[in-house]
């Protein structure tokens, strides 16, 4: 089955009791048992819920994976992956991570004796400089947030395979429409479903997908034991959102391209981060592993101090100033004080997240209105 067909049908069968075409919202925490332990495959809804299971199958299919698990947030999904590790284990990861991931690694898991190396992953060979006998996991985010660096997933996978490590990829920014890490050799794909998969900024959710039966078994055990599972209402909303993922992503990419090119020619803008530019330092890898370049764009305002940056960020009419991304509506965000505020200033600036950087999540509105809004806000 092709992508658009999977987005609409994967994991979803007419409901066996009524024939309902849309997967019902099974709003129940528990299930009837005929005699103790004898039930229809469902005992308690933390473990299994039919609405959630349909969504898990759908997301797994979109990532060309065998097993999917949905979590109550993207962070809940990441948390489950790190819980595969033991005290003393080491993780090699990027130096330009989602702020919440950095915070979880440094403020939650470091104190349980897990060591994280935050390094430049744009040259995958750099990983080899940080491998020790205790390294267990490589955690990659690509494109990175907010400076849109691209990490070569296949190159990381070959290092992971040679050294018997798990490679996990946060595929939130690309979405499965643009990139499928499992096909490139990754062991686990993670999503903040909150973003493009949900697509309507009305649900917080996460997901993990793997082809590895043993890893799935361990992750499913953590999922049920630790309990960061989403409810059936949210699962239904995401199933509904995913039905237009391919249509939305196509529109995000088209609008993104027009806006990236316009911004690059604008006199008030010093730099535009977007992997679709042929002179982007990692464009060749982006072209190799992604089908298009998406609607996430970051800009550095020329010579703007913090008040001037705030003034511009607050002067949009169609774009809304807000955290998050990946919804149908366009958003603008000031990473230094919003999404990335939990990263120390020095670390942040090393990764290029300067005070005059703004990040755009280009939505699927009419391009003429988005362009007019950008023109007036920058004038
Ligand atoms: C939002 C986001 C997360 C965290 O997901 P939540 O659903 O907010 O918990 C992780 N990684 C990336 C790249 C994100 O954008």
């Amino acid at each position: 089955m092709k992508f658009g067909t999977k987005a609409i049908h994967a994991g979803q069968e007419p409901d066996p009791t009524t024939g309902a075409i849309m997967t019902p919202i099974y709003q129940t925490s528990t299930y009837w048992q005929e005699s103790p332990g004898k039930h229809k495959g469902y005992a308690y809804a933390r473990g299994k819920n039919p609405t959630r299971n349909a969504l898990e199958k759908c997301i797994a299919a979109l990532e060309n994976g065998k097993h999917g698990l949905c979590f109550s947030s993207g962070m809940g999904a990441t948390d489950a992956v790190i819980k595969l590790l033991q005290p003393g284990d080491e993780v090699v990861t990027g130096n330009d991570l989602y702020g919440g991931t950095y915070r979880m690694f440094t403020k939650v898991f470091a104190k349980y004796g897990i060591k994280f190396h935050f390094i430049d992953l744009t040259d995958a060979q750099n990983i080899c400089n940080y491998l020790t006998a205790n390294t267990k996991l490589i955690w990659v985010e690509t494109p990175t947030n907010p400076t849109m660096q691209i990490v070569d997933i296949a190159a990381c996978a070959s290092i992971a395979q040679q050294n018997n490590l798990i490679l996990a990829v946060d595929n939130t920014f690309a979405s499965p429409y643009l990139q499928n890490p499992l096909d490139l050799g990754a062991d686990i794909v993670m999503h903040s479903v909150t973003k493009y998969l949900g697509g309507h900024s009305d649900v917080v959710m996460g997901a993990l997908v793997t082809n590895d039966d043993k890893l799935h078994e361990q992750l499913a055990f953590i999922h049920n034991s630790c309990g960061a599972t989403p409810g059936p209402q949210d699962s239904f909303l995401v199933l509904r959102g995913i039905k237009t993922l391919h249509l939305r992503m196509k529109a995000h990419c088209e609008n993104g391209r027009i806006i990236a090119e316009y911004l690059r020619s604008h006199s008030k803008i010093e730099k535009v981060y977007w992997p679709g530019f042929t002179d982007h330092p990692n464009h060749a890898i982006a072209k190799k592993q992604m089908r298009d370049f998406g609607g996430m764009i970051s800009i550095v305002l020329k010579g703007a101090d913090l008040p001037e940056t705030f003034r511009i960020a607050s002067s949009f009419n169609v774009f809304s100033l807000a955290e998050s991304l990946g919804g149908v509506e366009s958003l603008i965000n000031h990473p230094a004080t919003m999404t990335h505020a939990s990263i120390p200033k020095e670390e942040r600036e090393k990764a290029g997240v300067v005070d005059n950087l703004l990040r755009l999540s280009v939505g699927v509105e009419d391009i003429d209105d988005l362009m007019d809004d950008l023109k007036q806000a920058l004038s």
Side-chain angles (χ1 to χ4, degrees), residues 72-78 97-101 139 141 143-145 170-173 190-195 203-206 324-325 359:
S72 51
S73 68
M75 295 322 298
T78 302
L97 289 180
Y98 174 70
T101 305
W139 180 275
E141 199 180 303
T144 69
N145 174 15
D170 180 340
N171 202 30
T172 302
F173 263 45
M190 174 267 167
H191 278 284
S192 170
V193 173
T194 315
K195 316 295 166 55
V203 173
V204 172
M205 196 187 287
S324 199
L325 60 114
R359 188 189 76 185

Side-chain angles (χ1 to χ4, degrees), residues 218-266:
Q218 292 173 315
L219 291 167
F221 178 79
I222 295 167
H223 187 236
N224 184 44
S225 303
C226 298
T229 56
Q233 291 269 358
D234 283 355
S235 301
F236 174 85
L237 282 172
V238 174
L239 274 170
R240 176 179 166 137
I242 285 179
K243 290 186 195 297
T244 55
L245 178 63
H246 52 303
L247 308 175
R248 289 186 279 112
M249 289 310 297
K250 213 171 146 212
H252 284 296
C253 291
E254 278 171 20
N255 283 353
R257 176 181 301 279
I258 294 167
I259 288 175
E261 280 165 4
Y262 165 72
L263 291 170
R264 189 142 96 149
S265 67
H266 199 286

Side-chain angles (χ1 to χ4, degrees), residues 32-235:
W32 170 70
Q33 307 198 5
E34 192 180 327
S35 64
K38 193 171 173 210
H39 51 68
K40 298 176 188 296
Y42 297 94
Y44 184 62
R46 176 165 17 83
K48 264 174 138 188
N49 176 286
T51 320
R52 189 181 93 210
N53 293 151
L55 175 62
E56 290 173 339
K57 283 187 189 148
C58 183
I59 295 178
L62 295 177
E63 283 292 6
N64 300 326
K66 209 163 142 191
H67 308 286
L69 289 170
C70 286
F71 291 80
S72 51
S73 68
M75 295 322 298
T78 302
D79 173 77
V81 175
I82 306 304
K83 284 175 177 161
L84 293 167
L85 307 178
Q86 307 280 339
D89 285 351
E90 296 187 20
V91 179
V92 179
T93 187
N95 59 3
D96 188 18
L97 289 180
Y98 174 70
T101 305
Y102 178 84
R103 179 174 60 192
M104 179 193 283
F105 289 176
T106 55
K107 299 268 170 65
V108 179
F109 282 109
K111 70 172 185 257
Y112 291 105
I114 295 168
K115 190 167 171 189
F116 296 89
H117 301 275
F118 300 94
I119 70 166
D120 179 3
L121 289 178
T122 55
D123 176 8
Q125 292 311 313
N126 194 20
I127 294 170
C128 300
N129 299 326
Y130 294 86
L131 297 180
T132 74
N134 297 325
T135 312
K136 294 285 155 55
L137 173 73
I138 303 172
W139 180 275
V140 165
E141 199 180 303
T142 182
T144 69
N145 174 15
T147 60
M148 312 299 154
Q149 293 175 2
I150 304 295
V151 180
D152 187 337
I153 297 171
C156 293
S158 97
I159 293 168
Q161 273 149 19
Q162 280 158 27
N163 295 280
N164 203 19
L165 311 173
I166 299 168
L167 173 64
V169 177
D170 180 340
N171 202 30
T172 302
F173 263 45
S175 90
Y177 179 81
L178 295 180
Q179 174 173 283
N180 293 119
L182 298 181
D183 292 349
L184 300 165
D187 301 292
I188 300 171
V189 179
M190 174 267 167
H191 278 284
S192 170
V193 173
T194 315
K195 316 295 166 55
Y196 286 107
L197 284 168
H200 296 73
S201 303
D202 50 9
V203 173
V204 172
M205 196 187 287
L208 298 176
V209 181
T210 182
N211 271 318
D212 184 313
D213 297 341
K214 205 169 139 242
L215 267 179
H216 173 67
E217 198 181 305
Q218 292 173 315
L219 291 167
F221 178 79
I222 295 167
H223 187 236
N224 184 44
S225 303
C226 298
T229 56
Q233 291 269 358
D234 283 355
S235 301

Side-chain angles (χ1 to χ4, degrees), residues 364-377:
V364 303
E365 298 95 335
D366 195 297
I367 187 64
D368 295 342
D369 293 321
L370 295 180
M371 291 291 280
D372 285 349
D373 196 30
L374 282 163
K375 282 177 193 160
Q376 68 76 22

Side-chain angles (χ1 to χ4, degrees), residues 303-324:
D305 57 10
L306 199 58
E308 170 72 355
T309 305
F310 275 22
R311 201 188 56 72
I312 292 174
S314 312
S315 61
F316 286 84
N317 300 321
V318 180
F319 281 82
S320 299
L321 179 64
E323 301 202 5
S324 199

